[in-house]
Every structure is written in C-alpha cells, then in structure tokens.
Amino acid sequence: MSTLDTAPPTGAARSAGSAAWLTSTDAQRAAALALPQDVRDFLEGGSGAEATLAANRAAFEDLFLVPRVLADASATSTAATVLGAPAAMPAGIAPMAYQRLFHPDGEPAAARAAQAAGIPYVAGMLSTCPLEEITAVCSQTWLQLYWLRDRALLTDLVDRAEAAGCSALVLAVDVPRMGRRLRDMRNAFALPRDIVAANFPPSETHSARRGAAGTSAVMVHTSEAFDPTLSWDDVAWLRGRTELRLVIKGVLHPEDAARAVELGADAVVVSNHGGRQLDGAVPAPSVLPAVCDAVAGRGEVLLDGGVRSGTDVLKALALGASAVLVGRPVLWGLAADGQRGVERVLSLLRTELEDALVLSGCTDVTRASGLDVVPRGIPLSPAALRKGPRW
Ligand SMILES: Cc1cc2nc3c(=O)[nH]c(=O)nc-3n(C[C@H](O)[C@H](O)[C@H](O)COP(=O)(O)O)c2cc1C
C-alpha cells in the first residue's frame, strides 16, 4: 500500500481499470485513480502510526505453506460452508461503512456481486442505503451492528434484520470509540452532503457531515452515536433478543473468543478492524491457532484483515479459520468498476484459491486445515510439521 501512496500513476496504473486484474493490487491501482484523495485515505488508512495495518500484511507475507503432493488434484473445489450455509468459497464481504463514497451504486452493487459470487455480504449498519435494498438483491445478507446509545434504534434494526430475511447479526465489539485515524483527522474528513447513513434518522447523522480542522467528522459522529458501555451482559441480552445467528466481530484474545461462544455466539471474527482501531494490536493470523483452540469447535472462527489473495485465504484456513471476510479489495473493485469491479475481485480471489488448493495438494477446502503453515526463515524441526493428514 505504501508504494501506491507515493508513486505517481504509471501508464500501467492508468490503464488498470480496463486491463485484466491479475492481483488485487491491480484493482487497488484502478481505485486510486478513481477516488479523491480524502476518500482514498478513508479507505486505505489505519489508526495511529498504522503499525497494525502494516502488520496485517506482514503476517500473511511471513507465513509459508508446506504443500502436499501426489494427492490427485484433478477435481478441486472451493465450495465451503460459511455460518452453516453453502458458499462458493470460504469467504464473505466484510462490513464496510458508507459505500456510496466509493461508487454511486454503493452497497447494492457490492451485494449483487456477492450474490453472483455465491458468498455472504455483511451489510454495515452505517450503509448508505436502507438494509432492505441490500437484502432485496442478496440472499445471504448479514447485518453488522454497532452498539448504539439509542437503544430503540438498535432494537429496531434487529427487528428489521429479522423481517428482511438477514441470516445473521454481526456485533462489532472493537469500537467502544473510533480509533484515531490520523489521515482523516488531517483531511478534516466529513461525509459529502449526498452521502447518508440511511438506516439512521437524518437528524442523527448531521455531525458526520460537519468538517472541522484537525478532526474527522465521522469520528465525531461515532462518539455521539456509539455506546462505550458495551459489555458481555449486552452480548447475552442480544443473544436472548434474536433467533438470528450471532457473530461477534473484533476479538483477538482466545479467552474473549471462548466467552463469546459460551454466551451462545455462533461464530467469532478474529479481527483488528483492518488496523483501524487499536494501533499496535496483534494481526489476526498470529492469534488464530490459539483462538481456534479456545473455541474448540463450539462455533465458527472467521478471520479478516489483510486478506488480499487466494493464498492468504488458504493460509487462514491452514491456521484453523473456517472462512475469511474480504475488506478493502472489495472497495477497490467497487471504486474502480462498480458491481463488475467487485465481481472481478471476487472471481480473482476464487481463481487464486483454487490454484493454491491444487498446488498444495488439497482437493477441497476441508483439506486445507490439514496443511502445515510455518513462519519465514526458521529451520524446521520434524515436530513443526505435525498436522499432515494421511491421505
Ligand atoms: C472503509 C472501511 C470501512 C469500514 N467500516 C466498518 C464498519 O462499518 N463496521 C465494521 O464492523 N467494520 C468496518 N470496517 C472493517 C472491516 O469490516 C474489516 O474488519 C477490515 O476492513 C479488514 O481489513 P482489510 O480491509 O485490510 O482486509 C471498515 C473497513 C474499511 C476499510
């Protein structure tokens, strides 16, 4: 990401919107050309010194798979089960706010692309169209919630999610307040007049549009709207309030993950919010095996943060995840080419995953959990290669 921030667009970058995208970075380049600088910063940025943002990528780059051979990979499938439902690959689209900032077609375009790709779409509570416009185009919609001071608005959204046919609620627990996103503060980032948080009454989001030097209006709005008292009692309350599947997003400690499933959560998302909350928080792949141990099959364990390729998906599966959520690459596709751009990003991810499965001797995604994955550069003892299933 950092090279893109400084490098002037090259000829290759300028034509990246129309040329084939061979990696998600091609989509990132195309998006960079399509977006104003402050929106691009909102998309790309993390909190503080962006150490966690960078560590998310480094964590994947520093892990290496130990492929298996002679496994007859002639008929390899990426099909998976995500939160109990069939999916074309072990992935979903992560909740991301304000998608009309990136393309006029916004959330419905990304949700249609998820539907076409056969994976779930997690609608952000802070979407720029009403939830029902998303569920109308995507049969596997999950709704992400932040804990609102306005409890009536929160429960109304839970009721709407049930009525609209959502398959899950995703409670984001890592935002008692918004992290200090310095790029947005420097840009005095504020929502343009035509971008609304459509699930909120208009009066509730005025502050998100009021720019002021040295601060982010979006951050001001969240501090007004989000309730920092959120605790385990509220998770228990929400569990009792809805029959929908419940996913707790934003855990990193194994004990928190275990407590979430003990309270009846169906899944956790191991996530540091794409490096946008606690700067210095650990990257998700580093804690994933410990979280999976603690959850011990009592719920699904998803991961997000830094997933950029099918190989990253395979590494996450090898570390024990059941699926990943894809974040920024979806917004790159959306910004560059609307629904088609998101479809291109998701199709690329699936192609790469299929390729990685074939080349690592896995005929399907369930085999991936048996792959060994090791850190860079350490001579391995026989005990380090311990997982291999006998097939
Ligand atoms: C522009 C943007 C907006 C986001 N908005 C939300 C949100 O409203 N709710 C939420 O739970 N997570 C939000 N996230 C975090 C994502 O769900 C996800 O955790 C993160 O993007 C994963 O990191 P990656 O994008 O680097 O893969 C947002 C992320 C980005 C980049």
Side-chain angles (χ1 to χ4, degrees):
M1 245 175 263
S2 53
T3 47
L4 278 179
D5 286 338
T6 50
T10 61
R14 259 184 245 113
S15 62
S18 49
W21 294 346
L22 298 181
T23 70
S24 64
T25 309
D26 291 336
Q28 183 184 22
R29 276 198 201 96
L33 298 176
L35 295 174
Q37 185 62 43
D38 62 339
V39 174
R40 196 176 141 198
D41 278 337
F42 175 68
L43 192 171
E44 299 286 5
S47 55
E50 301 189 342
T52 292
L53 178 66
N56 283 348
R57 281 305 306 140
F60 279 112
E61 283 162 6
D62 288 345
L63 284 172
F64 288 83
L65 292 155
V66 186
R68 304 301 301 266
V69 293
L70 301 171
D72 184 0
S74 59
T76 298
S77 167
T78 60
T81 301
V82 181
L83 210 53
M89 62 178 159
I93 294 186
M96 289 174 288
Y98 303 129
Q99 293 184 13
R100 280 204 171 113
L101 276 174
F102 311 108
H103 191 279
D105 296 344
E107 288 84 359
R112 277 196 194 92
Q115 176 74 16
I119 63 169
Y121 176 83
V122 189
M125 169 189 253
L126 297 172
S127 59
T128 53
C129 71
L131 172 66
E132 293 75 6
E133 284 182 27
I134 299 170
T135 53
V137 297
C138 183
S139 57
Q140 281 196 67
T141 300
W142 309 353
L143 174 65
Q144 173 264 323
L145 298 172
Y146 286 121
W147 203 247
L148 298 178
R149 294 180 198 270
D150 184 341
R151 225 41 71 81
L153 185 54
L154 183 77
T155 48
D156 178 53
L157 267 169
V158 173
D159 293 343
R160 280 174 58 192
E162 288 175 348
C166 284
S167 29
L169 294 176
V170 179
L171 180 64
V173 295
D174 52 0
V175 191
R177 66 164 63 155
M178 191 177 272
R180 284 166 53 80
R181 302 178 190 163
L182 306 186
R183 299 197 210 196
D184 296 345
M185 294 164 80
R186 290 199 177 99
N187 292 336
F189 184 65
L191 295 184
R193 199 172 288 279
D194 56 332
I195 302 290
V196 294
N199 292 321
F200 286 62
S203 60
E204 297 243 3
T205 52
H206 282 328
S207 56
R209 262 181 290 285
R210 218 175 290 128
T215 186
S216 149
V218 168
M219 185 164 147
V220 171
H221 169 245
T222 56
S223 69
E224 288 170 8
F226 294 6
D227 187 344
T229 67
L230 175 63
S231 73
W232 289 109
D233 289 345
D234 300 309
V235 173
W237 177 86
L238 184 60
R239 178 62 296 175
R241 178 69 173 66
T242 181
E243 300 275 292
L244 292 178
R245 291 202 169 84
L246 181 61
V247 181
I248 304 297
K249 174 175 182 279
V251 298
L252 291 164
H253 200 290
E255 285 175 14
D256 287 340
R259 190 150 179 197
V261 292
E262 279 154 19
L263 282 175
D266 299 281
V268 293
V269 184
V270 184
S271 168
N272 55 38
H273 215 99
R276 293 162 81 84
Q277 285 301 105
L278 175 67
D279 191 37
V282 68
S286 310
V287 292
L288 190 57
V291 167
C292 292
D293 266 10
V295 169
R298 292 174 292 173
E300 291 189 26
V301 178
L302 284 71
L303 166 147
D304 77 20
V307 175
R308 300 292 178 264
S309 70
T311 312
D312 295 337
V313 179
L314 185 55
K315 288 175 183 175
L317 299 181
L319 290 170
S322 52
V324 301
L325 296 181
V326 188
R328 289 176 177 88
V330 166
L331 299 182
W332 298 335
L334 182 66
D337 202 9
Q339 176 183 341
R340 206 171 81 90
V342 181
E343 285 177 9
R344 289 167 72 187
V345 163
L346 296 177
S347 154
L348 174 61
L349 195 73
R350 187 169 169 194
T351 301
E352 291 170 337
L353 174 61
E354 198 261 353
D355 195 50
L357 285 167
V358 168
L359 296 179
S360 60
C362 296
T363 48
D364 60 48
V365 297
T366 60
R367 300 273 178 148
S369 61
L371 280 177
D372 282 305
V373 58
V374 297
R376 178 195 296 272
I378 299 170
L380 297 169
S381 67
L385 302 179
R386 62 193 146 50
K387 283 204 310 195
R390 309 276 172 253
W391 71 70

